[in-house]
Amino acid sequence: MIRTRLTMDVCGKPWRITVYLPLTGYHVEEILDTLKSIGISEENLSTARENLTGGRVNNGFTFSNSEKRETVSVWAVCTSPAMYLNLIVHELHHLSVHIASACGIELEGEDVCYINGDVAQHLWSLCWPLVVPQKYK
């Protein structure tokens, strides 16, 4: 599992993002501690615990605390490069919508797309081995 952290400037203030990929069952407590540190609700923490310990593949989750301007996104192991790309796009959409909503950015405008693209670009070096089939490497 890889943990990466980045900070983006959104509307003139920093927004901190932590991404865990590809998730395995060995890092559950670390991830839960990170979620607690951003102050997610007990209900969401319970949902995350169930997700993390369920052994499911092809899924993930993204939780944000808009007051703290922090997001945690977790991406499970996937069954194929196409499924991993699907998961990445899905979770990055949640992440960019969380940030845009918190900052009053129009969800249909270009700015929310730039958030999504900036995060994707930052994560590319970690993601490409998961989404490019072995025969093309």
Side-chain angles (χ1 to χ4, degrees), residues 36-107:
K36 288 176 192 173
S37 78
I38 72 165
I40 69 165
S41 70
E42 286 300 319
E43 180 182 348
N44 285 339
L45 196 58
S46 178
T47 299
R49 181 181 297 282
E50 288 174 23
N51 188 302
L52 290 167
T53 58
R56 296 171 32 204
V57 296
N58 301 326
N59 81 351
F61 59 81
T62 300
F63 290 108
S64 298
N65 181 322
S66 58
E67 291 177 8
K68 285 186 147 190
R69 300 177 62 86
E70 293 190 53
T71 298
V72 175
S73 191
V74 178
W75 309 347
V77 172
C78 289
T79 55
S80 70
M83 283 303 301
Y84 223 110
L85 181 59
N86 179 309
L87 176 65
I88 291 167
V89 170
H90 180 100
E91 296 305 328
L92 287 182
H93 177 74
H94 284 305
L95 185 149
S96 60
V97 168
H98 291 181
I99 293 171
S101 295
C103 295
I105 296 171
E106 182 182 337
L107 295 181

Side-chain angles (χ1 to χ4, degrees), residues 1-64:
M1 183 206 67
I2 299 166
R3 178 189 66 236
T4 188
R5 292 189 170 122
L6 67 135
T7 301
M8 295 178 54
D9 183 60
V10 183
C11 298
K13 296 179 185 173
W15 192 288
R16 289 177 293 286
I17 301 164
T18 303
V19 178
Y20 291 91
L21 72 152
L23 172 68
T24 64
Y26 298 110
H27 299 88
V28 170
E29 291 307 317
E30 177 185 347
I31 294 167
L32 291 173
D33 286 345
T34 303
L35 290 166
K36 288 176 192 173
S37 78
I38 72 165
I40 69 165
S41 70
E42 286 300 319
E43 180 182 348
N44 285 339
L45 196 58
S46 178
T47 299
R49 181 181 297 282
E50 288 174 23
N51 188 302
L52 290 167
T53 58
R56 296 171 32 204
V57 296
N58 301 326
N59 81 351
F61 59 81
T62 300
F63 290 108
S64 298

